[in-house]
Amino acid sequence: MVDNMNNTPIIIITPTAYIDLILAIDSCGVEISGLGDVEHEGNEWRADSIVVILQHCSLAKTKFDPVAYNLYMARLIKEGRLEEADRKKLWWHSHVKDPARFSIIDTRYMERTFGSNVPHSA
């Protein structure tokens, strides 16, 4: 959670989402990634569920299997769960047993995907 003294966003990971996240990381000896449902209200961003999609994992990177990702999202939409699909706003990945940080690969990905004006620190 981030202090709200300077109107800084507050980021909360609910206990259930946190347990699922740690379980995914602990059960994979290399990098792993997933999606999270995020609700935004005022200055608060709350991740309340974590989903792991079939993916290719290695020590240096993780990449969703594009067919598995598309099938997952299509199933949500087909089942009338469009709102749930729209809540998949968190993409996370582990750095195996390294400390939490943005790597050079992460920074480049964010700049390439979202533009250099997205706040982040390496």
Side-chain angles (χ1 to χ4, degrees):
M1 189 153 107
V2 178
D3 186 4
N4 202 18
M5 295 283 289
N6 297 318
N7 210 20
T8 306
I10 298 170
I11 302 168
I12 297 171
I13 300 176
T14 64
T16 301
Y18 182 74
I19 296 288
D20 288 344
L21 183 89
I22 296 303
L23 181 61
I25 292 168
D26 284 350
S27 64
C28 184
V30 295
E31 283 202 17
I32 188 167
S33 63
L35 300 173
D37 287 352
V38 176
E39 287 190 21
H40 178 227
E41 185 175 319
N43 230 22
E44 182 177 296
W45 298 80
R46 183 170 45 93
D48 59 13
S49 83
I50 299 295
V51 176
V52 177
I53 308 283
L54 182 65
Q55 59 196 267
H56 304 281
C57 301
S58 71
L59 283 172
K61 65 182 179 179
T62 174
K63 182 180 179 187
F64 287 158
D65 178 289
V67 173
Y69 172 77
N70 287 331
L71 287 172
Y72 173 73
M73 295 304 280
R75 187 183 75 211
L76 290 178
I77 293 166
K78 197 179 229 181
E79 291 174 357
R81 297 161 56 192
L82 182 59
E83 188 173 303
E84 185 178 342
D86 286 342
R87 290 184 54 213
K88 303 287 184 234
K89 294 180 182 174
L90 170 68
W91 175 79
W92 61 269
H93 74 282
S94 68
H95 283 162
V96 192
K97 302 297 179 193
D98 283 351
R101 64 179 167 74
F102 290 132
S103 69
I104 292 170
I105 293 170
D106 297 336
T107 302
R108 287 182 185 151
Y109 172 81
M110 286 184 281
E111 288 175 352
R112 186 175 58 250
T113 306
F114 307 110
S116 60
N117 59 346
V118 173
H120 60 276
S121 62

